[in-house]
Amino acid sequence: MDARVKPPFPLSRPANAPARPTREEAEAAVRTLIAWAGDDPTREGLLDTPRRVAKAYGELYAGYDKDPKAILNRTFKEVGGYDDIVLVRDIPFSSHCEHHMVPFVGKAHIAYLPHDGVVGLSKLARLVEVFARRLQTQENLTAQIIDALNENLGPRGAAVMLEAEHMCMSMRGIHAHGVSTITHRFTGVFAEDRQEQDRFFAMVGKR
């Protein structure tokens, strides 16, 4: 069974993405935002803030320059005939909401049924980080992770669940603290077989 599917959106940086501004232009934009917020970007405590913010953005959004295919391109076929669920749960992640550019923080659970080998377990955590370090919605992040698994590993089935708290709900707007958002998606055997879904939920502690 070949579960490879073509994802509905690019998994890497879009080819038609606009050219990045220079570091100087980015720092000037930060100074503008500081002034718009009501502070003085020339005061002592804020003089180096534009430089620090630009540097931090390079780290927080590093996922745009990373290719999930490069992470998942090496598989191991000598697994002693193992063909049952491979699950890595409680993978911590932090991302930024594309609507307000404030963080959402949580954990990911990823499972797949091997078809032609397995991938190193740490690669699944790195895959989450690639997509989390972009402007995101939790729904889109869930879909991108599972589509990358299917595109690059071709498993018999895959399952992804994300649990996260969104600062756009707790820091602003409704100010609802401690609220978790859960998203999940199944493909292949997991989508077709309710028992496999139940096994996944039980293994991540949701049953």
Side-chain angles (χ1 to χ4, degrees):
M1 177 181 178
D2 191 351
R4 294 179 187 274
V5 295
K6 184 176 181 180
F9 38 72
L11 297 177
S12 300
R13 181 176 173 83
N16 61 346
R20 281 182 169 160
T22 65
R23 173 64 70 93
E24 290 75 17
E25 289 171 328
E27 293 180 9
V30 175
R31 282 189 286 272
T32 297
L33 286 174
I34 291 172
W36 183 85
D39 214 322
D40 177 7
T42 66
R43 71 177 177 84
E44 183 182 16
L46 292 173
L47 277 176
D48 284 337
T49 297
R51 177 184 58 80
R52 295 189 186 105
V53 171
K55 182 179 179 180
Y57 268 38
E59 183 177 338
L60 294 173
Y61 302 116
Y64 287 111
D65 292 323
K66 295 182 180 179
D67 183 359
K69 184 176 182 178
I71 292 174
L72 300 175
N73 65 356
R74 185 184 181 190
T75 58
F76 302 92
K77 302 183 186 300
E78 294 181 3
V79 292
Y82 185 85
D83 61 358
D84 206 343
I85 294 176
V86 176
L87 169 69
V88 179
R89 68 181 188 182
D90 298 325
I91 302 170
F93 74 87
S94 60
S95 189
H96 282 77
C97 164
E98 66 182 32
H99 299 142
H100 302 99
M101 294 184 72
V102 294
F104 62 97
V105 179
K107 54 188 176 181
H109 316 290
I110 300 178
Y112 67 97
L113 288 161
H115 170 60
D116 186 27
V118 300
V119 70
L121 299 178
S122 66
K123 305 299 185 182
L124 298 181
R126 289 184 61 196
L127 179 66
V128 172
E129 185 178 61
V130 164
F131 291 119
R133 290 187 178 274
R134 303 179 184 187
L135 292 171
Q136 284 287 11
T137 65
Q138 185 173 329
E139 297 87 347
N140 197 45
L141 179 57
T142 306
Q144 287 180 333
I145 292 169
I146 202 167
D147 284 337
L149 286 173
N150 285 320
E151 176 77 3
N152 295 284
L153 297 184
R156 289 177 291 124
V160 172
M161 174 186 287
L162 302 186
E163 306 174 67
E165 181 175 356
H166 291 249
M167 299 302 107
C168 59
M169 287 184 62
S170 61
M171 294 175 61
R172 57 165 300 282
I174 196 172
H175 292 281
H177 297 273
V179 176
S180 293
T181 298
I182 297 177
T183 53
H184 60 73
R185 186 177 168 194
F186 303 114
T187 59
V189 174
F190 285 105
E192 300 160 1
D193 190 335
R194 181 57 184 268
Q195 289 186 331
E196 291 299 320
Q197 293 180 25
D198 288 342
R199 279 216 298 158
F200 170 76
F201 286 129
M203 291 173 75
V204 299
K206 298 303 176 183
R207 280 289 189 271

